[in-house]
Amino acid sequence: APAAARPSSGAGGEPETEGPGRDTALLRHLLLKLRATGPVTVAEYMREALTNPGQGYYTRRGGIGESGDFITSPEITQVFGELIGIWFVSEWIAMGKPKAFQLVELGPGRGTLTGDMLRVFNQLASLLSKCDVSIHLVEVSPKLSKIQALQLTGGKVQSNPEDNSAYMKGVSKTGIPISWYRDIQDVPPGYSFYLAHEFFDALPIHKFQRTEKGWHEVLVDIDPEVPDQLRFVLSPSRTPATEIFIQPEETRDHVEVCPEAGVIIQRLASRIEEDGGAALVADYGHDGTKTDTFRGFRDHKLHDVLTAPGTADLTADVDFSYLRKMAQGRTATLGPIKQREFLKNMGIDVRLQVLLQNSHDTATHKQLLHGYDMLMNPKKMGDCFNFFALLPHHRLVHPDKKHKRESKSPLPPVAGFSELLMK
Ligand code: SAH
């Protein structure tokens, strides 16, 4: 089976020492830069490797799916996107069915997840008929945005490279407007549901190491022993990032911090506080406990993070405790809870049974059961993936609270995070 759960490795997994594409254009660019100005932070290296406009992994390769470098839940089974679509509809109902909502997806990959959600919205057309729905995709990769456009609109899109906000616009096969942006800040304000699936793990991290002389930042430099090879070094003194990101009470010896994730969560939280809505974040991660999780994937195998940059996906576990902190109380937060618990609460078992009953060939049956196992099995994606949500505070205030504060009745249920009592 492909390395779907992306096992954690040391600083770089098994080094790939041979094979084509070791000496990449991006490596040559980085070597020039390092020779000229010295070592760079891991964050800068990761940003170049993933999203360099000419040579980054997502810009050029972006190999999501069975034939690519890594597989994601929406690529495994349609059930995943359907249940997430239902989550948003359920929140829309819980918040009093506002007249319009924007569905904003960060890093939509091949557009499969959006497509599955759009199918749910279409099936619930009678419920949503008076609601003005629009889709807003935040994607930096020109290659992946083309794949998304093809998947969602059949390729009927208008490109507006001059437009400072939406660089592409189209209409979904089900008649819903879709716009593409490079940055969340370009998405117009308004009541919005935000979705980030395997997005935050792709954002650049800083790495810090505790030594006898205090904290040092891990940097990337040229290996003086091996020509054209990169290696990790420690900053000779404390860097500005060390002062900002390491808490005095930190007990770990190695820490990864993703400031860009913090900035994006702050933006989402402010937008939800001002205009209403909710955000759902799903990713593999931890709650401020893990240390070295930086790793690479190519052809579904671990790939040394410093070898042939631009040819492999680089990723680090999401620190949900940091995301919670960066919401800064502007919204309430829920989770992280394990994927298998979230999907169970969302009714994945019932959905599976319906699909099994409706299909009559054994190949489809097998595929449905395989997909269920990949998503739910604690040894596969069931335990290491987590769901985390931002919700307006009022969404979690019990309606009884105004009257009797000592009320024992539970909080209003939020789908996925607690078992749904109402059918
Ligand atoms: N959500 C999809 C794809 C995950 S891969 C799935 O689950 O299948 C990460 C996605 O984020 C890709 O679409 C990638 O191009 C995009 N991405 C990575 N860095 C980004 C950034 N800084 N801004 C916007 N999109 C980014």
Side-chain angles (χ1 to χ4, degrees):
R6 301 209 217 175
S8 192
S9 74
E14 290 158 43
E16 226 176 80
T17 46
E18 49 198 42
R22 231 178 87 74
D23 179 18
T24 60
L26 187 60
L27 177 63
R28 288 196 296 279
H29 159 76
L30 284 164
L31 289 168
L32 279 176
K33 183 169 171 169
L34 294 169
R35 274 189 201 110
T37 56
V40 295
T41 61
V42 172
E44 192 170 349
Y45 172 77
M46 194 172 170
R47 185 190 322 279
E48 288 277 352
L50 291 182
T51 56
N52 175 291
Q55 303 292 334
Y57 172 77
Y58 283 115
T59 324
R60 279 175 71 94
R61 192 158 150 132
I64 306 159
E66 208 131 348
S67 61
D69 300 296
F70 63 99
I71 189 126
T72 60
S73 297
E75 301 297 329
I76 292 170
T77 168
Q78 67 181 77
V79 178
F80 186 79
E82 288 170 354
L83 294 178
I84 293 196
I86 289 169
W87 191 85
F88 286 113
V89 174
S90 146
E91 277 310 295
W92 174 75
I93 294 171
M95 295 195 210
K97 302 187 184 170
K99 282 200 284 294
F101 70 79
Q102 310 189 124
L103 178 71
V104 184
E105 190 179 351
L106 308 175
R110 303 183 62 82
T112 311
L113 183 50
T114 319
D116 291 336
M117 287 192 290
L118 281 173
R119 203 174 47 251
V120 168
F121 294 170
N122 200 44
Q123 279 157 359
L124 299 176
S126 57
L127 188 62
L128 288 166
S129 63
K130 290 199 190 77
C131 183
D132 186 3
V133 182
S134 56
I135 305 286
H136 304 263
L137 304 178
V138 179
E139 175 59 73
V140 280
S141 163
K143 181 170 174 177
L144 286 172
S145 62
K146 271 195 204 102
I147 296 176
Q148 292 150 19
L150 202 60
Q151 161 83 9
L152 298 169
T153 72
K156 280 182 245 116
V157 285
Q158 261 191 303
S159 287
N160 316 300
E162 307 300 308
D163 193 329
N164 282 336
S165 56
Y167 64 85
M168 194 161 72
K169 282 184 178 166
V171 177
S172 82
K173 292 169 188 168
T174 52
I176 291 180
I178 311 183
S179 310
W180 278 262
Y181 313 81
R182 280 184 198 90
D183 196 296
I184 178 74
Q185 275 178 298
D186 300 332
V187 178
Y191 189 98
S192 302
F193 291 121
Y194 301 91
L195 173 62
H197 182 255
E198 287 218 36
F199 170 75
F200 283 102
D201 70 275
L203 299 179
I205 51 153
H206 288 268
K207 284 170 88 69
F208 303 96
Q209 178 71 44
R210 191 200 295 271
T211 74
E212 278 167 9
K213 295 195 196 102
W215 284 93
H216 291 263
E217 182 159 7
V218 179
L219 305 174
V220 174
D221 199 2
I222 301 174
D223 189 335
E225 314 271 306
V226 191
D228 295 353
Q229 182 150 319
L230 303 174
R231 63 161 184 173
F232 289 114
V233 294
L234 288 184
S235 63
S237 55
R238 291 170 74 93
T239 59
T242 328
E243 310 288 337
I244 301 167
F245 295 118
I246 302 293
Q247 305 304 314
E249 65 274 15
E250 181 58 62
T251 54
R252 289 170 288 174
D253 289 334
H254 189 98
V255 171
E256 296 171 341
V257 183
C258 183
E260 211 167 297
V263 169
I264 292 175
I265 285 290
Q266 277 179 355
R267 294 215 170 106
L268 297 185
S270 313
R271 292 174 71 118
I272 292 169
E273 185 182 33
E274 276 159 33
D275 302 322
L280 189 62
V281 174
D283 226 308
Y284 40 78
H286 58 91
D287 224 9
T289 52
K290 281 201 185 175
T291 55
D292 181 9
T293 71
F294 186 36
R295 57 206 189 278
F297 283 90
R298 194 163 95 177
D299 296 332
H300 302 275
K301 288 195 284 286
L302 278 169
H303 175 92
D304 179 65
V305 289
L306 296 183
T307 299
T311 70
D313 181 37
L314 300 185
T315 169
D317 276 23
V318 173
D319 179 352
F320 288 102
S321 70
Y322 181 66
L323 301 192
R324 198 183 303 120
K325 199 170 105 193
M326 296 315 276
Q328 292 173 323
R330 289 186 177 125
T331 62
T333 64
L334 281 181
I337 79 162
K338 289 176 176 146
Q339 170 157 301
R340 67 182 159 88
E341 287 168 20
F342 180 88
L343 295 178
K344 193 147 236 149
N345 290 338
M346 287 304 300
I348 191 171
D349 293 305
V350 179
R351 183 68 189 138
L352 177 74
Q353 288 314 319
V354 170
L355 287 171
L356 287 173
Q357 275 158 25
N358 291 349
S359 79
H360 300 289
D361 64 297
T362 45
T364 311
H365 268 232
K366 253 179 121 169
Q367 193 230 330
L368 285 167
L369 292 168
H370 168 76
Y372 178 91
D373 183 58
M374 288 287 282
L375 261 46
M376 298 293 285
N377 190 329
K379 292 201 184 80
K380 292 174 183 169
M381 297 164 111
D383 266 4
C384 58
F385 277 80
N386 294 278
F387 280 74
F388 174 80
L390 303 180
L391 292 159
H393 286 293
H394 63 79
R395 172 69 179 94
L396 296 183
V397 173
H398 197 277
D400 284 354
K401 208 167 173 185
K402 288 171 237 141
H403 309 296
K404 27 184 177 131
R405 287 193 67 89
E406 70 283 6
S407 160
K408 285 255 171 65
S409 46
L411 283 168
V414 172
F417 292 88
S418 52
E419 221 171 304
L420 274 191
L421 303 170
M422 306 167 295
K423 278 274 137 87

